[in-house]
Amino acid sequence: MNIIETKIQLAHGARMPEYATPGASCMDCFAHLIKLHCVKGEYCTGRIETCTIELHDNESLKNFQANVDMVTIDPGFSLELPEDYAVKAYANSRFAKAGWRLANGIGVIDNDYRGHIKFIYVPEHNAKPFHEVFSIGGVCGQIEPCQRFQMQLNSVSTLTPTQRGDGGFGSTQQKGDAE
């Protein structure tokens, strides 16, 4: 197993990310601060009110009584990665089961970013209430180091042909059906 020495700066009271088991690929991150983003009104009329509430404790989280359109979770740390590495941020499967997904699918923390890592969740149509899913001190996502590569693009007039060619999504299954 390769170990990647990485510097971490923790906010006061934040919990260090950790591997849940010896075989885990990702480190669990724990919520230090939760921001709830709400929208009231109708987009079509232009009468929109927005609010952002910052919560530091679970009692406030349980007592908040508004529809939440987005949840931003700050685990309370920043990283300084080695030069050839980046970090990918993922949701835990428990959030998908509860109807919440990362707004950007998979987050990428670049080598030169020094701010706090954040997990931004949005609800699906069947999402459980946010206070049943998220909590201060609870797991809020996971991070995985990855080696960073950059491409050097070389412009050409043609590409090497393949059996698939330019078939789009699902095209490999359809080729056998069309014959």
Side-chain angles (χ1 to χ4, degrees):
M1 173 187 338
N2 295 328
I3 302 294
I4 302 162
E5 293 288 331
T6 305
K7 295 178 184 176
I8 186 170
Q9 185 178 40
L10 284 172
H12 179 72
R15 185 172 167 186
M16 182 79 75
E18 60 188 47
Y19 290 101
T21 65
S25 295
C26 295
M27 297 181 93
D28 287 334
C29 299
F30 305 92
H32 177 67
L33 170 72
I34 295 177
K35 288 184 182 179
L36 304 175
H37 308 275
C38 310
V39 176
K40 297 177 185 174
E42 299 177 20
Y43 287 104
C44 59
T45 64
R47 288 178 279 170
I48 302 289
E49 295 177 43
T50 61
C51 70
T52 301
I53 306 295
E54 193 170 289
L55 303 170
H56 300 269
D57 63 273
N58 288 319
E59 192 62 34
S60 299
L61 189 68
K62 289 177 187 171
N63 292 329
F64 188 76
Q65 297 294 320
N67 289 331
V68 172
D69 298 292
M70 187 169 67
V71 175
T72 300
I73 304 176
D74 182 346
F77 67 86
S78 302
L79 298 174
E80 183 177 330
L81 299 161
E83 185 176 329
D84 291 331
Y85 288 87
V87 165
K88 292 184 181 174
Y90 307 102
N92 290 69
S93 59
R94 73 179 75 173
F95 300 126
K97 290 178 186 176
W100 290 83
R101 63 175 172 79
L102 278 180
N104 59 339
I106 296 173
V108 177
I109 294 86
D110 293 315
N111 172 274
D112 55 355
Y113 176 68
R114 294 294 186 268
H116 280 204
I117 290 173
K118 302 233 177 30
F119 294 88
I120 302 172
Y121 289 93
V122 292
E124 298 288 343
H125 70 282
N126 63 340
K128 287 186 177 182
F130 65 90
H131 62 275
E132 293 179 19
V133 180
F134 305 105
S135 65
I136 300 293
V139 172
C140 64
Q142 50 192 347
I143 57 174
E144 176 183 40
C146 60
Q147 195 161 9
R148 185 175 63 91
F149 295 94
Q150 290 188 340
M151 294 187 292
Q152 177 179 324
L153 302 175
N154 299 310
S155 182
V156 297
S157 59
T158 61
L159 299 175
T160 306
T162 66
Q163 183 178 356
R164 181 176 183 178
D166 62 359
F169 295 109
S171 64
T172 55
Q173 287 80 23
Q174 292 176 1
K175 285 187 180 194
D177 296 341
E179 294 180 289

